[in-house]
């Protein structure tokens, strides 16, 4: 009997160890420290140690365990299932309970039920289902975002009536906005493959406290996929292949993830080839010829034609095709239990991208340009990131991010019947260093202090050259001569420096309310030098501009009951003029934009309120958010004179023609008002749905005219049914009419001259053009999962082949499109 007793005592430690559970981060595979673990019936309460381990031997076998951590979604699971999973549990930032979704966009993990700002999230699973051709197409389905396109190879997101350098693009904690992000339409959002994204988060409204200058309309944060470590070495590979009929798109993506105990690697290569885009044929708007392409230019690098070519199919938008390659290499190395290193390498490049709206531009009844295209658009990112968990009173957790980016852009153009081809080349080197830290003020982590800094330096080089073609019949043999061309940016070089520090405070005032606040000081310095004064003479050729600003935000979240949430936010933001604002020279539609070295920052002051109602155990949500933004000292492009007479418009010879002069200038005050109503979630186990309606209005107080980039009322509604291996869905998108009186004529950004003509002989544009017609489209999608390795997707978008154009776009939207995707995982 004693022998049996000793044997039982000997086994007890092993039995106890067998019931130790290890809690890991689903994204990285790292142990999670200080996870609260407790039972529904509160007889057990414990937490994980630094190894992510907690002993649950005291828990009854059929009881439910709850795992809670401020940086992860709450997870409830029966002890029996934990045993079946080998006593390993993964926590995620995603959750079916919509108020438990964890956001990273504020540079600290925060659950949606503690965040006052309106935020939208699309995760990797949803990205696969949506199957967007580009990342810009992905943004177009996010509630409240409208995307403008001047050509197929691009996409300019509009958030709350603000666009381009008033919207911040970020990737993996590194700001993509650089010193030549322009006012107007910006096409850089496509320089990352959607197949390489883990999720995309969008913050609506001024976010300058966290992100500094440019974040007036909001922040779009791309997060690429991160590899996770594994106790045993694992190698996983995946392949994505898609064909789309509307532009003969072929996309192939291959990814390999290697996980070991000491390091992990993720490698992804994506290649997309797009042919010319076909528009819809059904013209419910009543304008039979609007958007049709009757003639096009066949000119290329080695082919010359002095005349336009008739288009055999006027619904095919010739000169829209291009290809793009995206590379991602990421390493994850846990240096210790308290320190992790991520190494991030990204490279994106493209073929030449035709600028369709310029190639379709007419002058005296025929095409104006024989050639107008962007050279290969290249983006390189090298970024090491160090995560530390010191547990000190002055630094609990923090992240240091160092990054180098190189961006290359070029523009090549030549007029029809001309032998003179111009090349304008830009190179931007961006160096940045960020530190973001958090300190819990209380042991329960319901009160925290955040602080951080940012150092950012841009160096811009810009050059231009003209070459005269040597032509024999239709063949371009080479060049016979060079000629002088005005560079796009200061040819003597330019730089942009930004230094900032911020402080944030978040406190749960009670179990039902949370206070968020923050303040930031930013200082910017801009230098620019012009050498060649042949084409444009400036009053000063060497300039230095210094600006600084203090921005702040305060938000309040109140949850009077379990299923209701009210949010309010007051925030300020600013945008310091960059190199593009100050020093750009370019021509469009008879107007030449010239440098204005006296430009000042613009400021935004915003107030917003939101309400959310949850149903079905918080798996379904209805929300409404409204806001008012005051723009002070706003920047607008308007008539200008280089001779100092600002009351009269000037003129300048540019590329051989006398053109009107315009420049970016500060004005008084303007406002933007709007709202978004949306719903999202599960109606039942099989049925999910989401939808939204967004309204925006913006006008100036001083000149009483509409602001640019204000889209008309638009929305989308989706319903999806999933049962075991089958998924079926349908979508409805719509856009109301935008009257011509609501367009901004001054800047030309709204492209009112690309809307249907109703009176060719009218003297005023407001009488000549119709505005943006209303439209709607239907789409269906489905997928079938054969097994854990194979999945097939199909999609029909614009089912009824409607012809339409997105507001302010220079290209018609795709017609009826059949798309098929094959997803394989090994």
């Amino acid at each position: 009997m004693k022998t049996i007793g000793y044997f039982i005592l000997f086994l007890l430690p092993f039995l106890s160890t067998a019931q130790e559970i290890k809690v890991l981060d689903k994204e990285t595979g790292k142990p999670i420290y200080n996870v609260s673990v407790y039972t529904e019936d509160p007889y057990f309460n414990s937490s994980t140690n630094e190894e992510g381990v907690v002993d649950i031997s005291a828990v009854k076998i059929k009881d439910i365990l709850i795992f809670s951590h401020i940086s992860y979604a709450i997870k409830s699971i029966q002890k029996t299932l934990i045993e079946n999973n080998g006593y390993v549990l993964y926590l995620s930032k995603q959750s079916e309970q919509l108020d438990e979704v964890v956001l990273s966009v504020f540079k600290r993990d925060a659950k949606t039920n503690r965040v006052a700002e309106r935020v939208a999230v699309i995760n990797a699973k949803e990205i696969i289902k949506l199957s967007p051709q580009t990342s810009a197409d992905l943004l177009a389905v996010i509630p409240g975002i409208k995307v403008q396109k001047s050509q197929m190879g691009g996409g300019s997101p509009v958030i709350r009536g603000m666009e381009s350098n008033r919207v911040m693009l970020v990737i993996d904690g590194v700001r993509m906005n650089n010193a030549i992000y322009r006012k107007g339409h910006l096409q850089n959002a496509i320089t990352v493959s959607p197949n390489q994204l883990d999720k995309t988060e969008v913050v609506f409204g001024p976010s300058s406290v966290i992100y500094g200058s440019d974040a007036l309309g909001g922040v779009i944060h791309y997060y690429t996929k991160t590899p996770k470590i594994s106790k045993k070495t694992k190698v996983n590979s995946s392949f994505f292949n898609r064909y789309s009929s509307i532009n003969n798109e072929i996309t192939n993506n291959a990814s390999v993830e290697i996980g070991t105990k000491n390091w992990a690697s993720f490698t992804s290569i994506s290649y997309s080839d797009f042919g010319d885009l076909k528009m819809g044929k059904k013209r419910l708007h009543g304008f039979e010829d609007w958007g049709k392409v009757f003639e096009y230019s066949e000119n290329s690098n080695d082919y010359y034609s002095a005349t336009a070519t008739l288009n055999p199919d006027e619904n095919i938008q010739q000169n829209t095709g291009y290809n793009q390659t995206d590379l991602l290499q990421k390493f994850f190395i846990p240096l210790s239990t308290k320190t992790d290193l991520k190494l991030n390498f990204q490279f994106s490049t493209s073929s030449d991208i035709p600028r369709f709206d310029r190639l379709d531009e007419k002058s005296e009844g025929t095409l104006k340009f024989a050639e107008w295209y962007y050279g290969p658009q290249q983006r390189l990112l090298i970024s090491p990131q160090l995560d530390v968990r010191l547990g000190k009173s002055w630094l609990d957790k923090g992240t240091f991010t160092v990054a180098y980016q190189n961006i290359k852009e070029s523009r090549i153009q030549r007029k029809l019947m001309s032998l003179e081809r111009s090349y304008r080349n830009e190179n931007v080197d961006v160096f940045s260093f960020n530190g973001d830290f958090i300190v819990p003020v209380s042991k329960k982590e319901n009160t925290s202090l955040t602080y951080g800094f940012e150092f950012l330096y841009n160096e811009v080089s810009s050059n231009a050259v003209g070459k005269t073609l040597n032509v024999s019949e239709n063949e371009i043999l080479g060049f016979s001569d060079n000629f002088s061309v005005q560079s796009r940016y200061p040819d003597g070089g330019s730089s942009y420096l930004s230094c900032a520090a911020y402080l944030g405070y978040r406190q749960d005032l009670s179990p039902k309310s949370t206070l968020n606040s923050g303040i930031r000081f930013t200082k910017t310095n801009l230098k620019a030098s012009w050498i060649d004064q042949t084409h444009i003479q400036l009053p000063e050729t060497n300039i230095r501009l210094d600006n600084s600003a203090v921005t702040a935000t305060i938000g309040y979240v109140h949850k009077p009951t379990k299923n209701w949430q009210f949010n309010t936010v007051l925030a300020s933001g600013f945008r310091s003029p960059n190199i593009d604002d100050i020093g750009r020279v370019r021509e469009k539609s008879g107007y030449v934009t010239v440098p204005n070295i006296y430009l000042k920052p613009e400021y935004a002051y915003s107030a917003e309120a939101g309400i959310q109602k949850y149903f079905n155990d918080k798996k379904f949500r209805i929300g409404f958010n409204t806001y008012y933004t005051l723009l002070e000292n706003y920047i607008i492009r308007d008539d200008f004179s280089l001779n100092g007479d600002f009351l009269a418009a000037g003129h300048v010879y540019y590329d051989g023609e006398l053109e009107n002069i315009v420049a970016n200038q500060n004005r008084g005050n303007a406002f933007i008002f709007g709202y978004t109503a949306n719903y999202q979630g599960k109606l039942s186990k099989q049925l999910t749905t989401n939808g939204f309606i967004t309204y925006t209005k913006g006008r100036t107080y001083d000149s009483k005219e509409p602001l640019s980039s204000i889209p008309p009322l638009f929305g989308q509604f989706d319903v999806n049914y999933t049962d075991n291996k089958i998924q079926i869905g349908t979508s409805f998108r719509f856009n109301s009419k935008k009257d011509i009186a609501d367009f901004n004529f001054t800047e030309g950004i709204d492209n009112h001259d690309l809307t249907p003509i109703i009176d060719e002989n009218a003297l005023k544009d407001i009488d000549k053009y119709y505005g943006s017609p209303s439209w709607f489209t239907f789409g269906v999608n489905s997928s079938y999962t054969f097994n854990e390795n194979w999945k097939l997707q199909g999609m029909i978008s614009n089912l009824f082949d409607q012809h339409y154009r997105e507001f302010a776009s220079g290209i018609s939207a795709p017609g009826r499109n059949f798309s098929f995707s094959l997803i394989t995982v090994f």
Side-chain angles (χ1 to χ4, degrees), residues 162 166 205-208 215-217 550-552 571-575 601-607 628-634 670 672:
M162 300 194 201
R166 286 174 171 169
S207 303
S208 289
L216 297 184
V550 175
T551 54
S572 64
F574 91 111
R575 189 175 73 83
E602 58 182 354
Y603 301 86
Y605 306 95
S606 179
Y628 173 90
T629 300
L630 175 68
L631 290 173
E632 180 182 77
N633 214 33
Y634 70 92
I672 301 175

Side-chain angles (χ1 to χ4, degrees), residues 485-525:
V485 173
Q486 173 67 48
S487 63
R488 182 176 175 88
Y489 299 114
D491 58 338
S494 54
S495 64
Y496 182 86
L497 172 68
S498 174
C499 300
Y502 73 88
L503 182 68
Y505 180 77
R506 175 172 291 154
Q507 179 182 359
D508 291 337
L509 302 177
S510 71
K512 295 184 176 182
S513 60
T514 302
L515 177 70
N516 303 275
S517 61
I519 189 169
R520 180 187 183 107
F521 174 76
T522 305
K523 184 174 179 58
T524 64
N525 168 264

Side-chain angles (χ1 to χ4, degrees), residues 643-660:
N643 61 15
D645 181 5
F646 290 90
L647 298 178
H651 298 82
V652 66
Y653 277 97
Y654 187 87
D655 287 350
E657 295 185 13
L658 185 64
E659 311 279 14
N660 297 306

Side-chain angles (χ1 to χ4, degrees), residues 354-577:
R355 177 70 187 263
F356 174 79
D357 60 339
R358 302 305 304 273
L359 286 168
D360 197 44
E361 187 178 336
K362 302 294 194 299
S363 177
E364 298 182 358
T366 189
L367 296 181
K368 182 175 181 178
F369 290 100
E371 299 176 75
W372 209 124
Y373 56 90
Y374 296 105
Q377 182 170 268
Q378 295 184 4
R379 180 183 67 87
L380 169 68
L381 169 68
I382 302 173
S383 176
Q385 189 176 77
L386 187 68
D387 292 325
V388 296
R389 295 172 298 281
L390 299 183
K392 303 293 185 181
S393 59
W394 54 276
L395 199 162
D396 181 48
K397 293 183 292 185
T399 301
F400 296 93
T401 305
V402 179
Y404 167 73
Q405 297 179 82
N406 177 257
I407 297 94
K408 287 183 170 63
E409 297 180 0
S410 58
R411 294 163 176 81
I412 298 93
Q413 60 190 76
R414 179 173 63 83
K415 292 181 179 178
L416 196 68
M417 296 184 290
S418 172
L419 295 176
E420 295 185 340
R421 180 191 289 166
S422 63
Y423 297 81
R424 292 178 172 89
N425 305 298
E426 278 69 56
N427 183 87
V428 185
D429 291 306
V430 185
F431 305 87
S432 61
F433 180 35
N434 293 71
D436 303 287
F437 316 105
I438 182 170
V439 178
V441 178
S442 65
K443 292 183 178 181
K444 294 183 178 180
E445 295 190 348
N446 60 358
T447 304
S448 61
L449 186 70
T450 58
Y451 60 98
F453 64 86
E454 178 187 65
F455 172 84
L456 178 73
Y457 179 75
N458 287 241
E459 187 170 335
V460 181
S461 62
S462 180
N463 63 77
V465 63
K467 295 180 179 292
T468 303
L469 303 184
N470 183 10
V471 174
S472 175
E473 295 183 346
N474 294 114
E475 184 180 1
I476 299 175
L477 303 177
F479 305 103
S480 61
D481 197 10
N482 291 351
F483 60 92
S484 176
V485 173
Q486 173 67 48
S487 63
R488 182 176 175 88
Y489 299 114
D491 58 338
S494 54
S495 64
Y496 182 86
L497 172 68
S498 174
C499 300
Y502 73 88
L503 182 68
Y505 180 77
R506 175 172 291 154
Q507 179 182 359
D508 291 337
L509 302 177
S510 71
K512 295 184 176 182
S513 60
T514 302
L515 177 70
N516 303 275
S517 61
I519 189 169
R520 180 187 183 107
F521 174 76
T522 305
K523 184 174 179 58
T524 64
N525 168 264
L526 181 150
K527 296 179 182 178
S529 175
W530 288 265
I531 298 174
D532 188 355
Q533 297 282 292
T534 302
H535 305 277
I536 295 177
Q537 292 76 44
L538 298 175
E540 296 182 45
T541 57
N542 293 282
I543 65 168
R544 174 188 173 115
L545 299 178
D546 293 290
N547 294 305
S548 61
V550 175
T551 54
T553 183
I554 183 168
Y556 180 70
V557 179
H558 181 60
K559 303 178 284 289
T561 66
K562 177 183 176 181
N563 294 319
W564 284 93
Q565 180 171 322
F566 299 91
N567 302 340
T568 57
V569 181
L570 296 174
S572 64
F574 91 111
R575 189 175 73 83
S576 185

